[in-house]
Amino acid sequence: IDDFGAGYTSFKNLKLLNVDIVKIDGAFIKNLPHDTSDQIFVKTMIELANTFGMESVAEWVSDEATIAHLKAAGITYLQGFHYGLPFDAAEYG
């Protein structure tokens, strides 16, 4: 499920679909080190995914402080500008 947490349908789909991985919406990640509410939401979403035996991805990861919060919360995968900037597909092999 992409953009998990962005709306009620994410929770509904988590229950109804055969999902093995959820990607947490970047809106919850972009200010993670500075926003206690986002920290609580993200930790809860990761715990929920883990409870259902699913892996989790955090998008929009841009710095070490965010990585530290996500690792402490139990995230499975990290994605974002910290690891690489977007590039023009025409430039790729």
Side-chain angles (χ1 to χ4, degrees):
I1 297 177
D2 193 19
D3 295 331
F4 184 65
Y8 170 75
T9 56
S10 294
F11 292 100
K12 180 179 175 185
N13 289 336
L14 190 64
K15 179 181 175 184
L16 297 176
L17 300 175
N18 184 21
V19 174
D20 58 357
I21 190 165
V22 295
K23 186 178 346 177
I24 299 171
D25 189 274
F28 293 102
I29 306 301
K30 67 180 178 179
N31 294 315
L32 191 63
H34 312 289
D35 190 322
T36 305
S37 295
D38 283 344
Q39 292 169 16
I40 294 167
F41 280 119
V42 168
K43 185 174 189 305
T44 301
M45 285 187 271
I46 292 168
E47 289 172 353
L48 184 61
N50 290 341
T51 298
F52 284 104
M54 301 170 191
E55 295 180 306
S56 53
V57 179
E59 60 183 13
W60 297 12
V61 176
S62 60
D63 56 57
E64 291 291 332
T66 300
I67 293 168
H69 280 280
L70 291 165
K71 283 185 174 182
I75 197 76
T76 311
Y77 302 106
L78 303 168
Q79 173 188 356
F81 288 165
H82 184 73
Y83 298 101
L85 298 175
F87 56 88
D88 187 335
E91 296 175 13
Y92 185 74

